[in-house]
């Protein structure tokens, strides 16, 4: 948009939303919950061995790379969820906290919770298609709308979009593998619950993980401090999923950073050592990756002790991004 000046610009506002992760045994419920709040709704969602509680919805104009959750954000969620729980949750029950920014198309309203969650496509100048807003569950429609708009301006004919019939990576063959999960467990020596975990995460790409384990059976062992995950998943993140740094693995390819009370710090060194041969890391690089991750976790913890956005942002900025070499 910067290239075409002010004409026909989309204005996007960042709205911060944070979520809490607590262990499954802290809330005794057989269903998820949706609660009304003054401004919006609050979800309590079962997720693996945890509950996810969220979310907040507040304007954010500070650092966009690392939105920080403040103490006020966490208290807001605890206060609302505690209004319906027999045994209230405390800060000590919180395993993980994560914050994100919704890119909302700016409109009439001041409150971000009132802005549209829809996406919009525009073609403000020849050769430039802009798509803004939107959400995860509609990403294929967003992509289709944007590509259709781009194709509109081309001379040659382009075949109609087939996104609706294109399976996700790992979807093809998934159901047959799921039916065969007991046999896969017997063949590989993994517990059937492990095979289910892999199928749930990777679909039919699970075969590639199993190949890694076949070549090196130690990769079939779980991580001691995050035992939902096998060592092979860490190697796979580096060899097949484009992970380049330790925090890619602990926060993005897996969710260890929000699934453990230590926020992944107890798994950091082992994970870096598993990634090292794939990415050609020496001892010095392993140390740097671990130190960087520990600093990041400490900065996030510190930001979550701060009273408001400004102080939380300042604390989070204490841990700079790792510099590629
Ligand atoms: C609080 C909140 C609630 C939401 N609720 C919903 C909902 O209920 N339903 C829904 O459908 N959508 C929801 N969304 C929107 C949804 O999360 C996003 O649309 C979706 O995550 C966008 O996916 P993405 O892969 O495009 O980008 P992202 O998920 O943002 O992924 C981009 C990734 O790239 C990484 N990255 C950035 N720069 C670099 C770099 N230089 N090098 C390497 N990596 C980099 C980032 O760390 C990030 O992991 C919500 C968003 C928020 C913030």
């Amino acid at each position: 948009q910067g290239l075409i000046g002010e004409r026909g610009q989309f204005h996007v506002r960042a709205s911060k939303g944070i979520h809490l992760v607590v262990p499954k045994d802290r809330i005794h419920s057989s269903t998820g919950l949706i609660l009304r709040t003054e401004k919006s709704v609050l979800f309590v969602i079962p997720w693996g061995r945890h509950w996810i509680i969220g979310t907040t919805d507040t304007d954010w104009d500070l650092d966009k790379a690392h939105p920080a959750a403040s103490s006020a954000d966490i208290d807001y969620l605890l206060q609302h969820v505690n209004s319906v729980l027999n045994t209230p949750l405390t800060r000590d029950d919180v395993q993980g906290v994560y914050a994100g920014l919704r890119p909302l198309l700016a409109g009439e309203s001041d409150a971000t919770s009132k802005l549209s969650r829809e996406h919009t496509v525009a073609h403000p100048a020849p050769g430039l298609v802009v798509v803004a807003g939107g959400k995860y569950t509609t990403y294929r429609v967003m992509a289709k709308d944007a590509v259709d708009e781009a194709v509109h301006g081309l001379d040659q004919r382009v075949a109609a979009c087939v996104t609706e019939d294109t399976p996700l990576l790992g979807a093809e063959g998934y159901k047959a593998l799921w039916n065969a999960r007991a046999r896969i467990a017997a063949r590989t020596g993994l517990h059937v619950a492990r095979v289910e975990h892999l199928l749930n995460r990777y679909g039919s790409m699970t075969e590639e993980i199993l190949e890694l384990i076949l070549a090196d059976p130690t990769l079939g062992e779980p991580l001691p401090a995050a035992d939902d995950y096998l060592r092979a998943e860490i190697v796979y993140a580096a060899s097949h999923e484009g992970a380049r740094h330790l925090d890619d693995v602990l926060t993005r390819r897996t969710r260890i950073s929000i699934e453990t009370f230590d926020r992944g710090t107890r798994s950091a060194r082992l994970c870096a050592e598993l990634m090292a041969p794939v990415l050609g890391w020496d001892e010095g690089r392993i140390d740097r990756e671990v130190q960087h991750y520990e600093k990041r976790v400490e900065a996030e913890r510190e930001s979550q002790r701060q009273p408001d956005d400004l102080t939380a942002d300042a604390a989070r900025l204490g841990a700079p991004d790792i510099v590629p070499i």
Side-chain angles (χ1 to χ4, degrees):
Q1 285 197 156
L3 295 173
I4 57 161
E6 273 301 308
R7 233 164 1 100
Q9 297 268 357
F10 281 141
H11 293 283
V12 174
R13 271 176 59 191
S15 140
K16 182 176 70 166
I18 79 140
H19 289 86
L20 308 180
V21 179
V22 302
K24 206 61 189 272
D25 63 6
R26 302 299 202 277
I27 299 177
H28 300 287
S29 172
S30 53
T31 72
L33 305 170
I34 303 177
L35 314 175
R36 264 185 198 289
T37 63
E38 313 83 77
K39 277 176 23 176
S40 179
V41 287
L42 187 86
F43 295 100
V44 183
I45 304 168
W47 180 58
R49 295 202 285 159
H50 318 268
W51 294 95
I52 294 177
I53 302 166
T55 178
T56 59
D57 196 332
T58 52
D59 225 354
W60 178 264
D61 53 16
L62 300 165
D63 181 54
K64 289 202 175 57
H66 301 295
S70 69
S71 183
D73 293 326
I74 296 171
D75 288 345
Y76 169 90
L77 292 181
L78 287 177
Q79 194 191 335
H80 278 83
V81 71
N82 281 341
S83 69
V84 298
L85 297 182
N86 277 334
T87 314
L89 297 173
T90 70
R91 279 292 184 103
D92 291 341
D93 297 314
V94 176
Q95 282 178 306
V97 180
Y98 60 96
L101 298 176
R102 306 174 185 88
L104 302 181
L105 278 167
E108 300 298 301
S109 171
D110 275 345
T112 52
S113 59
K114 296 274 179 288
L115 294 178
S116 165
R117 266 59 179 157
E118 300 303 313
H119 67 277
T120 305
V121 174
H123 204 152
L128 178 71
V129 172
V130 184
V131 55
K135 43 184 186 237
Y136 181 60
T137 36
T138 55
Y139 80 93
R140 285 205 176 189
V141 185
M142 291 173 71
K144 176 184 184 302
D145 290 351
V147 172
D148 283 353
E149 188 60 48
V151 161
H152 215 64
L154 298 180
D155 292 337
Q156 75 262 41
R157 262 179 68 84
V158 175
C161 175
V162 292
T163 190
E164 218 173 320
D165 300 314
T166 307
L168 291 170
L169 194 67
E172 266 169 294
Y174 164 76
K175 293 216 159 125
L177 284 172
W178 183 261
N179 281 347
R181 64 196 185 282
R183 262 183 291 135
I184 297 170
R187 169 164 61 86
T188 57
L190 295 174
H191 192 281
V192 71
R194 294 279 176 201
V195 177
E196 290 178 358
H197 161 91
L198 294 177
L199 287 169
N200 282 331
R201 267 171 58 70
Y202 304 95
S204 51
M205 309 305 282
T206 295
E207 303 274 16
E208 294 183 342
I209 299 261
L210 297 177
E211 277 166 28
L212 291 176
I213 296 173
L214 194 66
D216 176 359
T218 65
L219 297 182
E221 289 166 21
L223 299 177
D227 62 6
D228 279 348
Y229 295 94
L230 300 179
R231 291 169 189 234
E233 295 177 77
I234 308 306
V235 173
Y236 187 77
S239 63
H240 291 68
E241 295 181 321
R244 284 294 165 270
H245 291 286
L246 182 58
D247 66 349
D248 291 329
V249 170
L250 292 171
T251 71
R252 291 181 277 267
R253 302 311 184 277
T254 71
R255 304 295 181 190
I256 294 170
S257 67
I258 52 170
E259 289 177 292
T260 58
F261 280 107
D262 63 275
R263 308 234 172 141
T265 51
R266 286 173 58 215
S267 304
R269 181 154 295 274
L270 174 58
C271 289
E273 285 167 357
L274 288 164
M275 296 171 71
V278 183
L279 298 175
W281 291 353
D282 58 16
E283 279 300 322
R285 177 65 186 269
I286 292 174
D287 288 346
R288 282 208 304 128
E289 292 282 332
V290 172
Q291 282 160 17
H292 172 264
Y293 186 74
E294 286 170 348
K295 273 196 199 134
R296 174 199 161 118
V297 169
E298 199 31 61
E300 284 191 354
R301 282 194 196 278
E302 186 55 32
S303 67
Q304 290 156 20
R305 288 191 279 266
Q306 302 303 316
D308 55 33
D309 281 358
L310 265 178
T311 48
D313 179 63
R316 178 61 184 86
L317 289 176
D321 281 332
I322 196 159
V323 183
I325 46 169

